[in-house]
Amino acid sequence: MYNQLKDEVRTLVDEIFPEIISIRRDFHRHPELSEHEERTARMICRYLSQWGIEYRDNIGGHGIVGRIDGKLHAPAGRRYEAVAIRADMDALPIEEAVESPFKSENHGIMHACGHDIHMACLLGTAKILKRLEDRFYGSVKLFFQPAEETVGGAARMIEDGCMKDPDTGAVIAFHVAPYLPAGAMEFCRGKMNAATCDIQMEVEGVSCHGAHPEGGIDAILAGAQIVTALQSIISRNLSPTDPGIITIGQFNGGTKENIVAGDVKMSGTLRALDPDTMDTLKNRVRTVAEGICQAYGAKLHVTLSDGYPALINSTEICDDLSAIGTELFGRDKIYFMEEPSLGADDFSFFSRMCDGLYFNVGTDSGKEAHIQKIHSEYFNPDETSMKNAVLMEVLGVLHLLEKEKK
């Protein structure tokens, strides 16, 4: 299917590209925050209905699962009955600083992470695959996922059954990458993003007058010792070749300059690529903090809450799609991550359920006055990058649907 259709797909992408740009600009003009993607979901459903694509909405909140079934008779021995593509939907609480005809109309909200591009590309991919449904076999599932930036909408969609009917054997997705030139592709074999765990700690001491500290138990002093000591876990309990992070991002305590604080609250994050490493971090955080509090006579309350699992790409699918990218765009457009990132993405909930690949698409035009970064009020991705993204999605899933079982 891939070899027979690749030239036709290029033509179709060129044909519908103005519509893809129009869709992206509409989403950009009307961004919505996590768990509030009402208009966004309504517009996605409108496009899918207009193109005759079957879908279910209200999946895991405002999520949508589309489905396109190929009409060709499927040969025996295929590895995947269904392949999914995911696009996230939510925007960020950022006031846009870029002046354009499609600047955000929602005060203080902006698509600063490229989710407008993700959705527009997946809709373009869906429209092309619908036109080609008589030319391929198997099922393509379209995951429009809410709440990536906050509560992890992927997990909620899975709970609502998005991986079933038919069973999803592989899933792919891309993210915009403003550090790469427009249209370039970046791949990563194996471990790509970290697992996360949130830390909530409360140190309970005894307050007293600052002139008589012997009458109390200083929660700030104990808390400060905890923050410092936790870093020794990274340097002394992990191998230098085994990455892990402990960050305390909030530290709140005390009521007045001359009162010994009786209570301190802290919060932070743990990050690791390996499950055993994460277990080590959790255990040592609790042990170290409890030991310090015991030494100071304070009480400790700790809550550790798992966040996203590690994102681990299928090496085989990575090799397959990077080879397709090389053929389509040239070797100079294909990059590979030299090392994984300790950032996180809830695509990992999908990819731990089946074979998965997360890759990056460059969006830097080289013409912007401000350095291009995601989550920046100056983020202004080059829209031409969407052509390569759609090509990769369409031809990538067609290739995966014809893979044979090992």
Side-chain angles (χ1 to χ4, degrees), residues 39-195:
R39 181 191 182 275
T40 304
R42 191 165 62 248
M43 293 303 298
I44 291 169
C45 292
R46 182 179 299 176
Y47 291 121
L48 296 178
S49 295
Q50 178 182 331
W51 301 331
I53 296 174
E54 173 188 345
Y55 69 88
R56 294 183 295 131
D57 58 0
N58 299 315
I59 307 297
H62 296 295
I64 299 158
V65 177
R67 175 175 170 178
I68 303 169
D69 295 322
K71 305 303 183 186
L72 290 182
H73 177 70
R78 290 186 306 121
R79 188 180 304 186
Y80 305 124
E81 180 183 0
V83 175
I85 314 170
R86 173 266 213 163
D88 33 18
M89 301 164 62
D90 49 336
L92 289 160
I94 294 174
E95 182 68 28
E96 185 168 14
V98 177
E99 295 298 331
S100 74
F102 50 92
K103 181 178 180 179
S104 171
E105 296 178 5
N106 294 343
H107 177 68
I109 305 175
M110 176 191 175
H111 270 299
C113 201
H115 296 186
D116 51 342
I117 286 181
H118 301 171
M119 290 184 288
C121 287
L122 184 51
L123 284 167
T125 294
K127 185 169 187 177
I128 290 172
L129 288 170
K130 182 63 178 178
R131 289 195 189 182
L132 298 174
E133 64 183 348
D134 293 333
R135 312 275 296 281
F136 70 90
Y137 45 75
S139 297
V140 179
K141 300 171 77 172
L142 317 167
F143 293 168
F144 293 93
Q145 180 218 304
E148 186 275 330
E149 299 286 359
T150 55
V151 298
R156 294 181 175 183
M157 290 188 71
I158 291 169
E159 290 173 2
D160 275 0
C162 73
M163 303 295 285
K164 303 294 184 182
D165 188 31
D167 288 342
T168 304
V171 59
I172 66 171
F174 79 88
H175 200 288
V176 297
Y179 55 86
L180 293 174
M185 301 276 167
E186 183 181 53
F187 296 90
C188 181
R189 297 182 178 95
K191 296 175 182 177
M192 183 174 181
N193 286 117

Side-chain angles (χ1 to χ4, degrees), residues 233 270 278-288 304:
I233 298 172
L270 307 178
M278 179 61 81
D279 288 341
T280 297
L281 293 180
K282 291 179 184 178
N283 292 333
R284 291 298 295 155
V285 163
R286 191 180 295 275
T287 299
V288 168
L304 300 174

